[in-house]
Amino acid sequence: MSDAILMSIYIFVLAIFIGMEVITKVPPLLHTPLMSGSNAISGITLVGALLSTGAGQAWLATMLGLFAVIFATINVVGGFMVTDRMLEMFRKDKGK
Amino acid sequence: MSTITNLVYLFSAVLFYFGLKNLGSPKTARRGNLLAMLAMLVAVLITLLDQKILDFTYIIVGLVVGAAIGAVASKRVQMTAMPQMVALFNGFGGVASALVASSEYFQLGGHLEGSVLGTIGVSVLIGTITLTGSVVAFAKLQGIMKGAPITFAGQQFVNALLILTAIGLGALLIMDPTNWMLLLGIIVLAGVLGITSVIPIGGADMPVVISLLNSYSGLAAAATGFVISNNVLIISGALVGASGIILTNIMCVAMNRSLANVLFAAVGSDGGAASGGSGEQKQVTRYTAQDAGVMLDNAQSVIIVPGYGLAVAQAQHVLQEVAQILMDRGMDVKYAIHPVAGRMPGHMNVLLAEANVSYDLLFEMDAINDDFKNTDVVLVIGANDVTNPVARDKKDSALYGMPILNVDHARSVMIVKRSLSVGFAGEDNPLFYDEKTMMLFGDAKKMVTEIAQVLKG
């Protein structure tokens, strides 16, 4: 196994623990926005999609990249916008 | 990748961390979401400036099409439909990751190291399972497919066989890198596995499934990070993966069931559609909105227990109207939210927030369970299993051991429900036949609207 992959595994495992530490404290009130927000974050794969599409090489690779860009962008834009829409509604004592 | 690009990715990963952290409190949640957006923007911009990108044509096409679809969907979706929207988005994230990994494979024509081929296999496997599993979850939630579990003989054996074969194909791919049929085989097997592993899971167990698929979409992104050696993907993917696992666990604990039981036991009837079984011979008195109005008139304290039926009937706004009338008369009104009420974690909170209910009126189960005994009226709307007292003492029940709301401890109970049908667990609810219970049969929205009119009277 290459050193680069080994280093990536270190980073991955530590990030999992950080994620668990942060998320455990989220109250049930916010579970839905947390889920749609973290869902948007998983659209980070867009970064990979941009590189696949823009490398200007094999046609098939570019087309797969294009669809990856479309799906990831739907995920990112839709996810963040709907999360913001929800969080805007969470207020204390409004409408009284 | 240049050092500067790498450092900017690190900055983006740190922003994602602070975004998630801020999402954890109602006061800072909106800022948290904005920080995560900023993190994404930074990561995307530095990628576009990266010298490896030669042609922007398809990138622009993809970004414009994706952003337009995402923006329209997020504006139009009803709060009641959030579970299916999140389910579908999970699937999109998963398929995007699988596509990136496949693209990387074809870019280099299979001339890759064994360890990279292995990560491509993992990324494609998880990403494709996430896609087809999410589509099934979406279809169940949207009502395109029936919510009831679909099972066939040897289902778990078939699933085990699918995953083992897929892993076997991955191993062959490492030995025979240019044989792209092997990669295609993994995609097909993973696609089937996503379907066969989600169809046996019943509608009311969807909170667990969505949480799990959420986790998968993060893990798929992290796997893709391994493929293209990109740490921002690995870190953010891991954060999302962890978040999904935590939510999955919270949902399982709230039902007192193991994850294995939720995934494999195929628990559940079709909820509302099933008939009441033995319950129909017992005596139930039907009451009207008029009776309910009189009872509420004489109450001092009211706890409202909302369930999925509230979402189905879109009754949250008129319910808030009733609550407001009662509060204006100086009555003590609270909402009790069971952790698995609705079809995704926190579903009820979002619905009630949409109806302008202040979030300090929403109480978690543990915070409110002792208050039921001092409460005059509990109004249950579209909830069933989470109030069923058999969960406490009937050992052979599917519900046994599930923490429930102590609705039966209140002085009187009103239940708005379409019929006497059993809940998702297929268990009759003795609360319906209790003499302190007032059954109000009908559509939740219609019934609550009538109650509002009586109260305004």
Side-chain angles (χ1 to χ4, degrees):
Chain A
M1 195 180 293
S2 71
D3 281 354
I5 291 220
L6 201 60
M7 196 49 81
S8 298
I9 292 174
Y10 267 80
I11 293 172
F12 174 73
V13 172
L14 293 176
I16 289 265
F17 280 107
I18 291 173
M20 290 194 162
E21 204 56 42
V22 183
I23 304 301
T24 310
K25 295 169 196 148
V26 177
L29 172 74
L30 291 168
H31 279 169
T32 295
L34 169 71
M35 194 169 265
S36 64
S38 64
N39 177 245
I41 294 176
S42 75
I44 186 68
T45 206
L46 175 58
V47 165
L50 295 174
L51 294 171
S52 307
T53 314
Q57 291 184 23
W59 182 82
L60 178 61
T62 306
M63 283 302 117
L64 291 171
L66 169 64
F67 281 98
V69 171
I70 294 175
F71 282 118
T73 310
I74 295 176
N75 197 350
V76 168
V77 173
F80 281 131
M81 281 179 70
V82 85
T83 306
D84 190 61
R85 204 182 124 197
M86 267 189 272
L87 290 172
E88 198 185 355
M89 301 185 310
F90 277 102
R91 280 191 201 148
K92 235 175 170 174
D93 296 313
K94 71 169 177 179
K96 275 191 182 171
Chain B
M1 203 184 301
S2 72
T3 311
I4 292 176
T5 307
N6 249 325
L7 286 174
V8 175
Y9 281 148
L10 176 63
F11 175 65
S12 160
V14 171
L15 279 180
F16 276 127
Y17 165 80
F18 281 108
L20 274 176
K21 198 175 164 65
N22 279 288
L23 267 173
S25 151
K27 287 196 188 83
T28 57
R30 222 174 154 197
R31 186 190 349 160
N33 189 48
L34 291 173
L35 279 174
M37 269 191 229
L38 182 65
M40 187 66 74
L41 189 66
V42 167
V44 167
L45 286 180
I46 193 69
T47 308
L48 291 177
L49 295 173
D50 193 282
Q51 65 279 17
K52 271 192 276 183
I53 292 183
L54 303 171
D55 182 1
F56 283 88
T57 325
Y58 289 115
I59 288 181
I60 293 168
V61 171
L63 287 174
V64 169
V65 171
I69 296 173
V72 170
S74 72
K75 289 279 176 210
R76 289 214 178 147
V77 65
Q78 299 251 349
M79 286 301 131
T80 45
M82 274 313 295
Q84 45 268 52
M85 166 116 165
V86 171
L88 203 59
F89 279 7
N90 281 334
F92 288 173
V95 73
S97 292
L99 285 167
V100 173
S102 310
S103 169
E104 188 71 8
Y105 175 82
F106 288 110
Q107 192 93 284
L108 301 168
H111 299 293
L112 291 155
E113 275 182 63
S115 55
V116 177
L117 283 164
T119 56
I120 288 178
V122 172
S123 173
V124 166
L125 180 71
I126 305 177
T128 312
I129 291 176
T130 312
L131 171 70
T132 56
S134 297
V135 168
V136 173
F138 169 81
K140 285 197 173 208
L141 289 161
Q142 185 71 25
I144 300 168
M145 260 172 83
K146 277 190 133 186
I150 299 169
T151 51
F152 56 85
Q155 198 156 11
Q156 287 169 47
F157 176 74
V158 170
N159 289 347
L161 201 65
L162 285 169
I163 186 114
L164 289 175
T165 315
I167 292 170
L169 290 183
L172 288 175
L173 185 66
I174 292 173
M175 287 183 273
D176 185 8
T178 52
N179 188 352
W180 58 270
M181 286 297 284
L182 293 167
L183 188 69
L184 197 64
I186 297 176
I187 294 173
V188 172
L189 291 172
V192 176
L193 182 61
I195 296 169
T196 53
S197 54
V198 176
I199 53 171
I201 303 172
D205 282 345
M206 282 299 144
V208 178
V209 178
I210 298 180
S211 308
L212 200 60
L213 290 168
N214 188 233
S215 175
Y216 288 176
S217 74
L219 295 177
T224 304
F226 280 93
V227 175
I228 61 170
S229 323
N230 189 314
N231 288 334
V232 73
L233 263 72
I234 295 177
I235 297 172
S236 340
L239 291 175
V240 177
S243 145
I245 292 166
I246 298 261
L247 288 173
T248 307
N249 187 45
I250 292 174
M251 292 299 111
C252 287
V253 169
M255 295 193 291
N256 189 40
R257 286 165 62 196
S258 68
L259 181 58
N261 179 278
V262 173
L263 296 183
F264 304 128
V267 171
S269 62
D270 202 9
S275 75
S278 64
E280 277 165 340
Q281 285 109 48
K282 292 188 217 159
Q283 281 297 312
V284 165
T285 322
R286 287 165 178 270
Y287 290 86
T288 63
Q290 194 68 43
D291 303 322
V294 172
M295 189 156 213
L296 285 170
D297 266 337
N298 295 313
Q300 294 298 315
S301 51
V302 175
I303 294 179
I304 299 170
V305 176
Y308 184 55
L310 178 81
V312 174
Q314 297 271 10
Q316 67 271 29
H317 298 281
V318 61
L319 178 64
Q320 151 67 2
E321 209 180 299
V322 167
Q324 195 61 52
I325 295 170
L326 298 176
M327 282 189 287
D328 289 346
R329 295 181 185 176
M331 228 177 267
D332 180 25
V333 179
K334 292 174 193 161
Y335 292 81
I337 316 286
H338 193 279
V340 293
R343 287 294 186 263
M344 75 183 291
H347 192 189
M348 288 298 126
N349 299 295
V350 173
L351 277 193
L352 293 169
E354 186 197 18
N356 283 331
V357 177
S358 166
Y359 66 72
D360 51 2
L361 296 178
L362 310 180
F363 290 85
E364 292 165 35
M365 178 166 64
D366 293 337
I368 202 168
N369 249 352
D370 289 337
D371 293 355
F372 280 101
K373 59 179 184 289
N374 301 318
T375 299
D376 294 331
V377 178
V378 174
L379 179 57
V380 179
I381 299 181
N384 187 355
D385 288 343
V386 298
T387 69
N388 194 333
V390 303
R392 290 198 203 104
D393 38 34
K394 193 176 162 199
K395 289 213 167 82
D396 59 344
S397 162
L399 287 175
Y400 180 68
M402 174 167 123
I404 56 160
L405 293 164
N406 295 330
V407 172
D408 56 329
H409 292 177
R411 295 192 191 100
S412 60
V413 181
M414 283 180 203
I415 300 177
V416 178
K417 211 170 171 306
R418 274 174 303 179
S419 69
L420 269 184
S421 65
V422 293
F424 168 74
E427 186 71 56
D428 202 13
N429 192 340
L431 195 59
F432 299 166
Y433 315 103
D434 196 309
E435 55 185 23
K436 70 182 173 193
T437 300
M438 187 183 257
M439 293 301 292
L440 300 159
F441 291 111
D443 172 72
K445 189 171 184 179
K446 198 160 162 276
M447 184 56 77
V448 178
T449 309
E450 284 175 29
I451 295 175
Q453 280 158 358
V454 172
L455 288 173
K456 283 180 198 157

